[in-house]
Coordinates of all heavy atoms in Angstrom, one line a residue:
R4 N 11.7 -11.8 -7.4 CA 10.4 -12.3 -7.7 C 10.2 -13.8 -7.5 O 9.1 -14.2 -7.1 CB 10.2 -12.0 -9.2 CG 9.9 -10.5 -9.5 CD 9.5 -10.2 -10.9 NE 9.0 -8.9 -11.1 CZ 7.9 -8.6 -11.7 NH1 7.2 -9.5 -12.2 NH2 7.5 -7.3 -11.8
L5 N 11.3 -14.6 -7.7 CA 11.2 -16.0 -7.4 C 10.9 -16.2 -5.9 O 10.1 -17.0 -5.5 CB 12.5 -16.7 -7.8 CG 12.8 -16.8 -9.3 CD1 14.1 -17.5 -9.5 CD2 11.6 -17.5 -10.0
L6 N 11.6 -15.4 -5.0 CA 11.4 -15.6 -3.6 C 10.0 -15.1 -3.3 O 9.2 -15.8 -2.5 CB 12.4 -14.7 -2.8 CG 13.9 -15.1 -2.8 CD1 14.7 -14.2 -1.9 CD2 14.0 -16.6 -2.3
G7 N 9.6 -14.0 -3.8 CA 8.3 -13.4 -3.5 C 7.1 -14.2 -4.0 O 6.0 -14.1 -3.4
A8 N 7.3 -15.0 -5.0 CA 6.2 -15.9 -5.5 C 5.9 -17.1 -4.7 O 4.9 -17.8 -4.9 CB 6.6 -16.3 -7.0
D9 N 6.8 -17.4 -3.7 CA 6.6 -18.6 -2.9 C 6.2 -18.1 -1.5 O 7.0 -17.6 -0.7 CB 7.9 -19.4 -2.8 CG 7.7 -20.7 -2.2 OD1 6.7 -20.9 -1.4 OD2 8.5 -21.6 -2.5
P10 N 4.9 -18.3 -1.1 CA 4.5 -17.9 0.2 C 5.1 -18.7 1.4 O 5.0 -18.3 2.5 CB 2.9 -18.1 0.2 CG 2.7 -19.2 -0.9 CD 3.8 -18.9 -1.9
D11 N 5.7 -19.8 1.1 CA 6.5 -20.5 2.1 C 7.8 -19.8 2.5 O 8.5 -20.2 3.5 CB 6.8 -21.9 1.7 CG 5.5 -22.8 1.6 OD1 4.6 -22.5 2.4 OD2 5.4 -23.7 0.8
L12 N 8.2 -18.8 1.7 CA 9.4 -18.0 1.9 C 9.1 -16.6 2.5 O 9.7 -16.2 3.4 CB 10.2 -17.9 0.6 CG 10.8 -19.2 0.1 CD1 11.5 -19.0 -1.2 CD2 11.7 -19.8 1.1
V13 N 8.2 -15.9 1.8 CA 7.8 -14.6 2.3 C 6.3 -14.3 2.0 O 5.7 -14.9 1.1 CB 8.6 -13.5 1.5 CG1 10.1 -13.6 1.9 CG2 8.4 -13.5 0.0
L14 N 5.8 -13.5 2.8 CA 4.4 -13.1 2.7 C 4.2 -11.6 2.8 O 4.8 -10.9 3.7 CB 3.6 -13.7 3.9 CG 3.3 -15.2 3.8 CD1 2.8 -15.7 5.2 CD2 2.3 -15.6 2.7
H15 N 3.4 -11.0 1.8 CA 2.9 -9.7 1.9 C 4.0 -8.6 2.3 O 3.9 -8.0 3.4 CB 1.8 -9.6 2.9 CG 0.6 -10.5 2.5 ND1 -0.1 -10.4 1.3 CD2 0.1 -11.6 3.1 CE1 -1.0 -11.3 1.2 NE2 -0.9 -12.1 2.3
G16 N 5.0 -8.5 1.5 CA 6.0 -7.4 1.7 C 7.2 -7.9 2.5 O 8.1 -7.1 2.7
G17 N 7.2 -9.1 3.0 CA 8.3 -9.6 3.8 C 9.5 -9.8 3.0 O 9.5 -10.0 1.8
G18 N 10.7 -10.0 3.7 CA 11.9 -10.3 3.1 C 12.5 -9.1 2.4 O 11.9 -8.0 2.2
N19 N 13.8 -9.2 2.1 CA 14.5 -8.1 1.3 C 15.7 -8.7 0.6 O 16.2 -9.7 1.0 CB 14.8 -6.9 2.2 CG 15.4 -7.3 3.5 OD1 16.4 -7.9 3.6 ND2 14.6 -6.9 4.6
T20 N 16.2 -8.0 -0.4 CA 17.3 -8.4 -1.2 C 18.2 -7.2 -1.6 O 17.7 -6.1 -1.5 CB 16.8 -9.1 -2.5 OG1 16.0 -8.1 -3.2 CG2 15.9 -10.3 -2.2
S21 N 19.4 -7.5 -2.0 CA 20.3 -6.4 -2.3 C 21.4 -6.9 -3.2 O 21.7 -8.1 -3.3 CB 20.9 -5.8 -1.1 OG 21.9 -6.7 -0.5
V22 N 22.1 -5.9 -3.9 CA 23.3 -6.2 -4.7 C 24.2 -5.0 -4.6 O 23.7 -3.9 -4.5 CB 22.9 -6.5 -6.2 CG1 22.2 -5.3 -6.9 CG2 24.1 -6.9 -7.0
K23 N 25.5 -5.3 -4.6 CA 26.5 -4.2 -4.5 C 27.1 -4.0 -5.8 O 27.5 -5.0 -6.5 CB 27.5 -4.6 -3.4 CG 27.0 -4.8 -2.0 CD 28.0 -5.3 -1.0 CE 27.4 -5.5 0.3 NZ 26.6 -6.8 0.4
T24 N 27.2 -2.8 -6.3 CA 27.8 -2.5 -7.6 C 28.7 -1.2 -7.4 O 28.8 -0.6 -6.3 CB 26.8 -2.2 -8.6 OG1 26.1 -1.0 -8.3 CG2 25.7 -3.3 -8.7
T25 N 29.4 -0.9 -8.5 CA 30.1 0.4 -8.6 C 29.5 1.2 -9.8 O 29.4 0.6 -10.9 CB 31.6 0.1 -8.8 OG1 32.1 -0.6 -7.6 CG2 32.3 1.5 -8.9
V26 N 29.2 2.4 -9.5 CA 28.7 3.3 -10.6 C 29.5 4.5 -10.7 O 30.3 4.8 -9.8 CB 27.2 3.7 -10.3 CG1 26.3 2.4 -10.2 CG2 27.1 4.6 -9.1
T27 N 29.4 5.2 -11.8 CA 30.1 6.5 -11.9 C 29.1 7.6 -11.7 O 28.0 7.7 -12.3 CB 30.6 6.6 -13.4 OG1 31.5 5.5 -13.6 CG2 31.4 7.9 -13.6
D28 N 29.5 8.5 -10.8 CA 28.5 9.6 -10.5 C 28.7 10.8 -11.5 O 29.5 10.7 -12.5 CB 28.7 10.1 -9.0 CG 30.1 10.8 -8.8 OD1 30.8 11.1 -9.8 OD2 30.4 11.1 -7.6
L29 N 28.0 11.9 -11.3 CA 28.0 13.0 -12.2 C 29.4 13.6 -12.4 O 29.6 14.3 -13.4 CB 27.0 14.1 -11.7 CG 25.5 13.6 -11.8 CD1 24.6 14.7 -11.3 CD2 25.1 13.4 -13.3
T30 N 30.2 13.5 -11.4 CA 31.6 14.1 -11.5 C 32.6 13.2 -12.1 O 33.7 13.5 -12.3 CB 32.1 14.4 -10.1 OG1 32.3 13.2 -9.3 CG2 31.1 15.3 -9.3
G31 N 32.1 12.0 -12.5 CA 33.0 11.0 -13.2 C 33.7 10.1 -12.2 O 34.6 9.3 -12.6
E32 N 33.4 10.2 -10.9 CA 34.1 9.5 -9.9 C 33.4 8.1 -9.6 O 32.1 8.1 -9.7 CB 34.1 10.2 -8.5 CG 35.0 11.5 -8.6 CD 36.5 11.1 -8.8 OE1 36.9 10.1 -8.2 OE2 37.1 11.9 -9.6
P33 N 34.1 7.0 -9.5 CA 33.4 5.7 -9.1 C 32.9 5.8 -7.7 O 33.5 6.3 -6.8 CB 34.6 4.7 -9.3 CG 35.8 5.5 -9.0 CD 35.5 6.9 -9.5
V34 N 31.7 5.2 -7.6 CA 31.0 5.2 -6.2 C 30.5 3.8 -6.0 O 29.8 3.2 -6.8 CB 29.8 6.2 -6.2 CG1 29.1 6.1 -4.8 CG2 30.3 7.6 -6.5
R35 N 30.9 3.2 -4.9 CA 30.4 1.9 -4.5 C 29.0 2.1 -4.0 O 28.7 2.9 -3.1 CB 31.3 1.2 -3.4 CG 32.7 0.9 -3.9 CD 33.4 -0.1 -3.0 NE 33.5 0.5 -1.6 CZ 33.6 -0.3 -0.5 NH1 33.6 -1.6 -0.7 NH2 33.7 0.2 0.7
V36 N 28.1 1.2 -4.5 CA 26.7 1.4 -4.2 C 26.1 0.1 -3.7 O 26.4 -1.0 -4.2 CB 26.0 1.9 -5.5 CG1 24.5 1.9 -5.3 CG2 26.5 3.3 -5.9
L37 N 25.1 0.2 -2.8 CA 24.3 -0.9 -2.4 C 22.9 -0.6 -2.9 O 22.3 0.4 -2.6 CB 24.2 -1.0 -0.8 CG 23.2 -2.1 -0.3 CD1 23.8 -3.5 -0.5 CD2 22.9 -1.8 1.2
H38 N 22.4 -1.5 -3.7 CA 21.0 -1.4 -4.2 C 20.2 -2.4 -3.3 O 20.3 -3.6 -3.3 CB 20.9 -1.9 -5.7 CG 21.7 -1.1 -6.6 ND1 21.3 0.0 -7.3 CD2 23.0 -1.3 -7.0 CE1 22.2 0.4 -8.1 NE2 23.3 -0.3 -7.9
V39 N 19.3 -1.8 -2.5 CA 18.5 -2.6 -1.5 C 17.0 -2.4 -1.7 O 16.6 -1.3 -2.1 CB 19.0 -2.3 -0.1 CG1 18.5 -0.9 0.3 CG2 18.4 -3.3 0.9
K40 N 16.3 -3.4 -1.4 CA 14.8 -3.2 -1.5 C 14.3 -2.0 -0.8 O 14.7 -1.8 0.4 CB 14.1 -4.5 -1.0 CG 12.6 -4.4 -1.0 CD 12.0 -5.6 -0.1 CE 10.6 -5.4 0.1 NZ 10.0 -6.3 1.1
G41 N 13.5 -1.3 -1.4 CA 12.9 -0.1 -0.8 C 11.7 -0.4 0.1 O 11.0 -1.4 -0.2
S42 N 11.4 0.4 1.1 CA 10.3 0.2 1.9 C 9.0 0.3 1.1 O 8.8 1.2 0.3 CB 10.3 1.3 3.0 OG 9.2 1.1 3.9
G43 N 8.1 -0.6 1.4 CA 6.8 -0.6 0.7 C 6.8 -1.5 -0.5 O 5.7 -1.7 -1.1
S44 N 7.9 -2.0 -1.0 CA 8.0 -2.9 -2.1 C 7.6 -4.3 -1.7 O 7.7 -4.7 -0.6 CB 9.3 -2.8 -2.8 OG 9.7 -1.6 -3.2
D45 N 7.1 -5.0 -2.7 CA 6.8 -6.4 -2.5 C 7.7 -7.3 -3.4 O 7.7 -7.0 -4.6 CB 5.3 -6.7 -2.8 CG 4.8 -8.0 -2.3 OD1 5.5 -9.0 -2.7 OD2 3.8 -8.1 -1.7
L46 N 8.4 -8.3 -2.9 CA 9.3 -9.1 -3.7 C 8.5 -9.7 -4.8 O 9.1 -9.9 -5.9 CB 10.0 -10.1 -2.8 CG 11.0 -9.6 -1.8 CD1 11.6 -10.8 -1.1 CD2 12.1 -8.8 -2.5
A47 N 7.3 -10.1 -4.7 CA 6.6 -10.8 -5.7 C 6.4 -10.0 -6.9 O 6.2 -10.5 -8.0 CB 5.2 -11.3 -5.1
T48 N 6.3 -8.7 -6.8 CA 6.1 -7.8 -7.9 C 7.3 -6.8 -8.1 O 7.1 -5.7 -8.7 CB 4.8 -7.0 -7.7 OG1 4.9 -6.3 -6.5 CG2 3.6 -7.9 -7.7

């Protein structure tokens, strides 16, 4: 949101961000995961 709030950085849906984590799936196994901005999202909101 900080990036998206500054039009000198991104405009109208531009840019993207991500974080890597580890989660536990339904079987109890650890899974390395990338959480990345989805298509159609706007960083400002």
Side-chain angles (χ1 to χ4, degrees):
R4 287 185 168 230
L5 292 179
L6 293 182
D9 192 337
D11 293 326
L12 295 175
V13 295
L14 286 168
H15 302 297
N19 42 63
T20 59
S21 69
V22 62
K23 301 175 183 74
T24 68
T25 299
V26 302
T27 302
D28 68 11
L29 291 176
T30 67
E32 294 295 321
V34 179
R35 294 197 302 157
V36 171
L37 174 74
H38 303 266
V39 69
K40 175 194 170 190
S42 178
S44 298
D45 192 310
L46 291 181
T48 56

